[in-house]
Amino acid sequence: MQISGAQMVIEALIAEGVDTVFGYPGGAIMNVYDAIYKQDKFRHILTRHEQAAVHAAEGYAKVSAKVGVAMITSGPGFTNAVTGLADAYMDSIPLVVISGQVPMSLIGTDAFQEIDAVGISRSCTKHNYLVTDAADLPRILKEAFYIARSGRPGPVHVDIPKDVTAQIAEYNYDIKLDLETYKPHTKGNPRQIKKAIQAIANSKRPVFYLGGGIINSNAADEVRELVHKTGIPAVETFMARGTLVHDDALLIGMLGMHGSYAANMAMSETDMVIALGARFDDRVTGKLSEFAKNATVIHVDIDPASISKLVNANFPIVGDIKNVVNDMLAQSSVIDAQNYEQWRETIINFNELHPLTYYEDSERLKPQWVIERVGELLGDDANISTDVGQHQMWTAQFYPFSRPRQFISSGGLGTMGFGFPAAIGVKAAAPEKTSINFTGDGSILMNCQELMTAVEKKLPVINIILNNNFLGMVRQWQTLFYDKRHSETDLSVQPNFVKLAEAFGGIGYRVTTKEEFDAALQDAIKKDVVAFIEVKVERFENVMPMVPSGGSLFNMMLLEKKESK
């Protein structure tokens, strides 16, 4: 059928099963928004900032396991969205971001609201397109969704000039894709898998190193079965939280810069690293030359560029985690779980020596207690988003995650301002679950305008602001490594967070005691509107353990021993 480029965009989204689009209109994408007005197959959620639109699409994608979609205009609309694209690229989140562009005749003339969007997005997207003919739109959009969701997921950017959205051309979405230079390898090499399984059987101190690729592959069930069948202890990266249930006897904990003592020591003492969907990030490995230096390494990843990029893999296996783990399960009978009994005892001793804990030794509430308490009250009934900072690390350490896609946070890019809009996308994707955003008094102000989005679209996100009147993580580094020179990190001058929430039509609470917190959380859930719960917490609390930047995992800064909580 002959339709406009703008209508093609709508038809393609419907064909892809898109039910939610986040965005912000403007001149260059006005034709597409006019077509949105005329359809009723998907909902559009108007955010109040383009960065928030992409973060909301990220949250939606992380929870739903679908491709997130965001729509923005040219110029500043696009540049505002770049942070979201970069965030999704670092964390392998499948997105299709559609931007308007000035008409073809004006490209390169420094026209009003013109920017080289494809040039800017090239380094922070999996792929990008500048559409120059409406006849190409069906193929490009179909490719964009396929590339975003297949292989190692990621964001794809489609830039469409305004005159192209007005062109009339033939629309046919029933086309076969043939991307000669893009063919993800999803099945692992059988001989390599067999060798890897035998190497595991011959090891004495193996450790599963579980990464975010497991979540992306929807392979948590298979990984849980493999861990339990082999009896091999496992550590999770920040991005893999929820792969194993929090109280699983074989889960050592999170490893890395703020990982548990037991997890970091296990990785330092292991003779066999079985890395599944992990990329050996610097925040996990610490000093590379000391990372698991006595271990043989099995590295399974769908992205061949990630294998042996930082740590040499003795057994590299390229393939989808779900497929490879199923193949490993089929051969796992040669692995005897009893062989690792002594190794499991050693890890138990590590945990008893320095458990993950905190001390209630101040008048103000401890932030760790707040996170634990939400876990006690809501547990599996909540999806947990975070901003970036101390609260993010405490959430990863202390929340009792029990399922994949329960934890939504900015890992690789570390984007302050991510949490609130992401939690809006999370609520849109999973309205049956309570959407909690743990945030700080610094992060929440970066996208607080999304209170209006949450109110208008009736998306009742509960933002728990752990207020220490500091830019907390930077202050921690200044305290430990800069002789307590707290340069520009004191946030004592603050808005009234209660009135701020109320000004947008939400609800606000300020709490200083445990009883007040419980009452506020329960009331916020009952009221079912967007909420700010400001919790006054201990100002100088540090995230511990901590591996100093560039240090070895086994050289952790630990919490001083005193009477425990």
Side-chain angles (χ1 to χ4, degrees):
M1 57 181 174
Q2 295 276 324
I3 58 176
S4 71
Q7 290 171 301
M8 289 183 187
V9 173
I10 305 308
E11 292 298 325
L13 296 182
I14 294 169
E16 292 290 345
V18 173
D19 58 26
T20 305
V21 173
F22 304 88
Y24 202 99
I29 202 167
M30 205 173 294
N31 291 334
V32 177
Y33 270 85
D34 189 53
I36 288 174
Y37 184 86
K38 298 171 184 175
Q39 63 81 42
D40 60 1
K41 301 297 184 183
F42 60 81
R43 63 175 169 170
H44 180 279
I45 294 177
L46 173 68
T47 60
R48 295 316 195 262
H49 194 283
E50 291 88 355
Q51 179 188 350
V54 184
H55 289 331
E58 287 185 88
Y60 178 92
K62 282 192 172 190
V63 165
S64 68
K66 299 177 183 178
V67 176
V69 179
M71 222 171 267
I72 50 183
T73 195
S74 64
F78 176 76
T79 56
N80 282 345
V82 170
T83 298
L85 282 170
D87 190 273
Y89 184 66
M90 290 286 281
D91 286 353
S92 304
I93 301 171
L95 297 183
V96 170
V97 176
I98 298 169
S99 62
Q101 182 56 275
V102 299
M104 292 283 296
S105 61
L106 295 180
I107 291 178
T109 69
D110 293 331
F112 176 67
Q113 291 194 333
E114 182 198 358
I115 197 75
D116 180 11
V118 291
I120 291 171
S121 71
R122 186 168 292 120
S123 66
C124 59
T125 54
K126 190 175 176 183
H127 196 54
N128 63 4
Y129 299 87
L130 173 63
V131 185
T132 58
D133 189 333
D136 295 330
L137 257 174
R139 172 188 59 80
I140 286 174
L141 289 169
K142 193 161 190 174
E143 286 181 5
F145 276 89
Y146 172 69
I147 292 169
R149 69 165 66 96
S150 61
R152 178 179 175 178
V156 177
H157 169 219
V158 181
D159 196 39
I160 313 175
K162 187 172 184 179
D163 54 340
V164 174
T165 64
Q167 286 176 9
I168 303 297
E170 182 68 22
Y171 173 80
N172 176 21
Y173 209 68
D174 188 21
I175 49 179
K176 185 178 180 180
L177 296 182
D178 185 19
L179 304 177
E180 291 186 4
T181 59
Y182 178 71
K183 297 187 183 297
H185 194 75
T186 59
K187 293 290 289 183
N189 184 292
R191 286 176 295 178
Q192 196 75 334
I193 292 172
K194 185 176 181 179
K195 290 178 182 177
I197 288 291
Q198 192 56 55
I200 295 170
N202 294 337
S203 67
K204 301 298 183 186
R205 302 183 305 280
V207 167
F208 278 111
Y209 167 27
L210 309 180
I214 295 167
I215 310 295
N216 290 338
S217 180
N218 295 312
D221 288 342
E222 290 79 3
V223 170
R224 289 179 182 185
E225 184 180 352
L226 183 62
V227 168
H228 295 148
K229 197 170 181 180
T230 59
I232 296 173
V235 297
E236 290 178 345
T237 66
F238 174 84
M239 298 299 295
R241 299 303 269 154
T243 299
L244 300 182
V245 180
H246 64 93
D247 58 358
D248 193 313
L250 289 170
L251 175 60
I252 312 172
M254 183 177 73
L255 84 161
M257 178 172 283
H258 294 295
S260 70
Y261 176 84
N264 286 347
M265 288 304 297
M267 187 58 75
S268 300
E269 297 292 329
T270 183
D271 66 352
M272 169 64 70
V273 174
I274 311 159
L276 304 177
R279 59 187 180 89
F280 294 88
D281 178 77
D282 63 287
R283 289 293 171 113
V284 164
T285 63
K287 188 176 181 180
L288 273 173
S289 61
E290 297 292 330
F291 177 78
K293 65 178 182 179
N294 297 316
T296 299
V297 176
I298 298 168
H299 192 180
V300 183
D301 204 289
I302 199 165
D303 180 9
S306 291
I307 295 180
S308 295
K309 181 179 179 180
L310 295 169
V311 173
N312 183 59
N314 304 94
F315 298 93
I317 302 172
V318 178
D320 182 85
I321 298 295
K322 197 182 196 76
N323 292 336
V324 174
V325 170
N326 274 322
D327 289 343
M328 295 174 83
L329 276 167
Q331 301 179 42
S332 61
S333 59
V334 301
I335 300 173
D336 186 353
Q338 291 186 342
N339 290 343
Y340 313 129
E341 190 170 340
Q342 185 175 348
W343 173 229
R344 291 191 292 267
E345 287 294 326
T346 298
I347 290 170
I348 290 171
N349 290 336
F350 284 148
N351 192 47
E352 290 176 348
L353 186 62
H354 293 290
L356 192 62
T357 190
Y358 61 95
Y359 304 109
E360 295 188 295
D361 53 359
S362 67
E363 291 184 4
R364 280 194 175 195
L365 290 177
K366 285 298 181 85
Q368 301 95 321
W369 177 88
V370 176
I371 292 161
E372 280 190 330
R373 186 60 177 159
V374 175
E376 290 170 4
L377 295 174
L378 297 180
D380 191 43
D381 292 330
N383 284 318
I384 305 299
S385 304
T386 79
D387 270 299
V388 170
Q390 289 181 309
H391 60 273
Q392 178 189 36
M393 293 297 107
W394 283 318
T395 303
Q397 288 177 334
F398 288 98
Y399 195 88
F401 297 106
S402 60
R403 54 183 168 83
R405 303 189 182 277
Q406 186 180 12
F407 182 44
I408 301 91
S409 194
S410 171
L413 197 64
T415 306
M416 292 177 68
F418 170 90
F420 187 12
I424 288 174
V426 167
K427 188 64 177 179
E432 74 283 0
K433 299 284 188 183
T434 301
S435 181
I436 299 287
N437 174 39
F438 285 111
T439 184
D441 44 312
S443 286
I444 192 60
L445 291 179
M446 290 200 169
N447 270 314
C448 62
Q449 76 283 340
E450 297 312 310
L451 278 161
M452 202 71 264
T453 302
V455 168
E456 181 189 16
K457 298 301 181 180
K458 295 180 171 56
L459 295 167
V461 172
I462 298 174
N463 297 274
I464 299 175
I465 305 169
L466 300 177
N467 187 355
N468 55 14
N469 298 101
F470 268 123
L471 193 57
M473 188 61 86
V474 184
R475 191 280 309 155
Q476 176 170 330
W477 281 60
Q478 289 172 337
T479 297
L480 297 175
F481 308 116
Y482 290 84
D483 198 27
K484 299 183 180 180
R485 292 186 296 275
H486 298 149
S487 176
E488 301 302 321
T489 49
D490 191 311
L491 303 183
S492 294
V493 178
Q494 294 184 329
N496 184 318
F497 288 110
V498 173
K499 289 185 177 180
L500 180 61
E502 292 173 347
F504 282 88
I507 191 165
Y509 309 83
R510 181 179 295 111
V511 303
T512 58
T513 68
K514 293 180 177 180
E515 293 75 18
E516 288 175 350
F517 178 77
D518 282 1
L521 180 60
Q522 289 162 7
D523 191 60
I525 294 170
K526 181 180 177 181
K527 291 281 198 322
D528 203 35
V529 296
V530 65
F532 277 5
I533 303 178
E534 179 192 3
V535 187
K536 292 289 189 178
V537 297
E538 168 58 37
R539 292 199 73 196
F540 290 92
E541 189 76 0
N542 290 330
V543 183
M544 292 294 176
M546 180 179 182
V547 178
S549 183
S552 305
L553 289 185
F554 52 81
N555 285 330
M556 287 162 274
M557 301 172 70
L558 299 168
L559 198 63
E560 291 183 18
K561 288 196 173 183
K562 58 183 85 171
E563 186 179 349
S564 183
K565 67 181 177 73

